[in-house]
């Protein structure tokens, strides 16, 4: 494949595209990528790994939530209200700062936990078609445009769009909390009032196949 045509469009609605258009958009084909093209994309996009943010002491994170520019303005506004003889207004303003800081801190803390949990869920190996042949490769070497094969028991290595499936069902409880496996489809979808995780023709990193088989094109890897 020509390197000049390797720009991938991350903002495309992958779930809406018919399979031929999907393959064209990702500059791949039903036989998968060539080894040379996969190596080029790996160098461009980086490895399919989830990188945890550098550890930062919790007290510094909490201090940052109390001292960003908007918070400082509100602290100042509360102080002026107190000095102006309206302590009730001052307390109300300071309460907004406190509640916002605690909420932001909790969200950041939970996001960090989610990243760590996802790192543990991602498999070490993936089955792909490369050079027209089925291969087992390290999951970290997956790239956008790779054609992956999914069978029962497999953990999904990266976000992908199904192009073929045979009664495929996927456990998405790590994302949705839904106890029952989701029935998947390879049909293009448009105008559906569904959240991303509810779209039946997409599969996601960290989920696992529990029944059936399928083939999917990787649309996004790593971070």
């Amino acid at each position: 494949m020509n390197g000049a045509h390797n720009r991938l469009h991350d903002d495309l609605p992958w779930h809406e595209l018919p399979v031929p258009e999907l393959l064209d958009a990702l500059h791949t084909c039903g036989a998968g990528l060539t080894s040379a093209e996969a190596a080029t994309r790996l160098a461009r996009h980086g490895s399919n790994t989830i990188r945890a943010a550098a550890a930062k002491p919790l007290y510094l994170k909490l201090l940052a939530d109390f001292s960003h520019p908007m918070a400082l303005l509100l602290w100042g506004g509360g102080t002026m209200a107190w000095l102006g003889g309206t302590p009730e207004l001052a307390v109300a303003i300071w309460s907004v700062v406190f509640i916002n800081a605690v909420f932001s801190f909790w969200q950041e803390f939970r996001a960090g936990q989610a990243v760590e949990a996802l790192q543990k869920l991602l498999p070490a190996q993936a089955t792909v078609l490369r050079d027209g042949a089925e291969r087992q490769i390290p999951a970290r070497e997956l790239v956008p445009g790779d054609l992956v094969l999914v069978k029962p028991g497999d953990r999904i290595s990266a976000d992908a769009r199904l192009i073929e499936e045979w009664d495929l069902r996927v456990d998405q409880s790590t994302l949705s909390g839904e106890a029952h496996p989701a029935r998947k489809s390879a049909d293009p979808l448009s105008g559906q009032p569904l959240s991303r995780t509810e779209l039946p023709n997409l599969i996601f990193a960290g989920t696992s196949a529990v029944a059936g088989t399928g083939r999917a094109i990787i649309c996004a890897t790593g971070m």
Side-chain angles (χ1 to χ4, degrees), residues 1-8 23-38 40-41 44 129 131-132 143-147 217:
M1 295 183 186
N2 192 321
H5 299 290
N6 288 333
R7 292 183 62 191
L8 303 179
L23 296 177
D24 184 61
L26 287 165
H27 308 295
T28 186
C29 65
L33 299 174
T34 64
S35 296
E37 176 63 18
T40 298
R41 295 191 187 193
R44 180 184 303 113
L129 285 182
D131 302 308
V143 296
D146 257 328
L147 196 159
I217 300 292

Side-chain angles (χ1 to χ4, degrees), residues 56-72 75 97-98 100-102 104-105 108:
K56 185 178 181 181
L58 293 179
Y59 74 90
L60 288 180
K61 293 180 181 179
L62 188 58
L63 180 61
D65 289 324
F66 276 105
S67 58
H68 59 79
M70 182 57 70
L72 293 176
W75 283 122
V97 178
F98 180 81
N100 182 70
V102 171
S104 297
F105 173 79
E108 186 176 0

Side-chain angles (χ1 to χ4, degrees), residues 80-183:
M80 291 178 65
W82 184 275
L83 295 176
T86 53
E88 297 85 357
L89 178 58
V91 171
I93 294 174
W94 292 336
S95 296
V96 170
V97 178
F98 180 81
I99 293 171
N100 182 70
V102 171
F103 182 71
S104 297
F105 173 79
W106 180 247
Q107 281 191 313
E108 186 176 0
F109 177 71
R110 290 297 299 272
Q113 287 187 318
V115 169
E116 292 178 5
L118 184 57
Q119 286 177 314
K120 296 175 183 177
L121 287 171
L122 294 181
Q125 299 288 317
T127 305
V128 301
L129 285 182
R130 290 269 178 93
D131 302 308
E134 184 175 326
R135 295 183 182 178
Q136 282 275 329
I137 65 168
R140 65 177 181 274
E141 295 181 6
L142 285 172
V143 296
D146 257 328
L147 196 159
V148 295
L149 310 180
V150 181
K151 61 184 184 301
D154 285 353
R155 284 188 289 171
I156 310 302
S157 308
D159 294 357
R161 159 69 195 279
L162 285 164
I163 60 171
E164 291 181 298
E165 61 83 22
W166 296 271
D167 199 28
L168 181 64
R169 298 176 189 275
V170 175
D171 179 358
Q172 298 188 157
S173 57
T174 52
L175 297 178
S176 64
E178 177 62 44
H180 300 290
R183 178 70 172 88

